Amino acid sequence: MRLLIVDDEKITRNVLLNYIPWAEIGITKIEAAGDGKEAFELAKRFKPHIVLTDIRMPKMNGLEFARSLKEEQMNCRFIFLSAYSDREYLKEAIQLRAVNYVEKPIKPDEIRKAVSSAVDEIKEQIELECKSYYTEQKQICGRILAGEGIK
């Protein structure tokens, strides 16, 4: 799975990139950006499954970025980071169906758990979609074999 890290603090980006064993939780590709605008352009090409983003950033904040990306990639999962426990941010993160909301300073183990949870959620969704597709194909084959044709 692909992960996009978005934070205007270079130290935070470096900690997230280098101190979490991403491969152990199923993350195989990682990109990083310093603000929401840069992240949006990168996400169009990179197509992340999960985005780990700060909320307060210059140019385009994390919530604006998430809203814009959701229009193009509805199934992308968001985990928001913030040094501020602001109710309005939290409410908007909930409206955007955030997987998690992690307060700074970040704790690598907490980030690992949040991303691991998002990975599990995505795997479950893929499994359900595969089962649904299989069931639909089985029904179509059954109708064809019964001489009913495709409806």
Side-chain angles (χ1 to χ4, degrees):
M1 287 193 199
R2 294 179 300 277
L3 172 73
L4 177 59
I5 296 169
V6 188
D7 200 302
D8 59 323
E9 296 173 14
K10 190 173 184 173
I11 293 171
T12 302
R13 282 196 315 270
N14 285 336
V15 166
L16 291 169
L17 285 166
N18 299 307
Y19 294 98
I20 297 174
W22 295 115
E24 287 180 16
I25 56 175
I27 302 298
T28 55
K29 294 183 181 176
I30 303 172
E31 291 285 341
D35 63 64
K37 233 177 191 174
E38 177 188 351
F40 185 68
E41 292 306 313
L42 178 60
K44 285 196 255 183
R45 293 185 309 277
F46 183 58
K47 305 240 184 277
H49 295 99
I50 303 166
V51 174
L52 191 54
T53 183
D54 189 10
I55 289 182
R56 283 194 181 179
M57 296 181 291
K59 297 182 185 173
M60 176 188 277
N61 74 40
L63 297 167
E64 294 167 332
F65 160 62
R67 252 186 269 108
S68 298
L69 189 58
K70 275 271 191 198
E71 289 177 16
E72 293 194 18
Q73 298 175 39
M74 290 184 345
N75 291 328
C76 187
R77 304 303 198 281
F78 289 89
I79 299 167
F80 292 100
L81 307 172
S82 183
Y84 309 92
S85 20
D86 184 315
R87 270 190 154 181
E88 291 306 309
Y89 287 155
L90 188 54
K91 282 174 26 182
E92 193 163 351
I94 290 168
Q95 288 172 348
L96 288 165
R97 297 182 58 220
V99 173
N100 212 320
Y101 187 96
V102 180
E103 289 186 12
K104 289 182 175 180
I106 59 168
K107 296 172 188 79
D109 194 49
E110 189 176 0
I111 297 295
R112 180 184 170 143
K113 286 177 185 172
V115 174
S116 183
S117 175
V119 167
D120 290 344
E121 190 178 295
I122 292 167
K123 285 179 181 177
E124 285 176 25
Q125 179 186 352
I126 291 169
E127 190 175 313
L128 285 172
E129 288 172 359
C130 287
K131 283 180 182 177
S132 175
Y133 177 78
Y134 173 75
T135 301
E136 184 179 319
Q137 294 304 307
K138 191 174 171 183
Q139 289 170 347
I140 290 171
C141 289
R143 286 195 299 267
I144 291 171
L145 291 172
E148 297 174 24
I150 300 174
K151 293 180 184 178

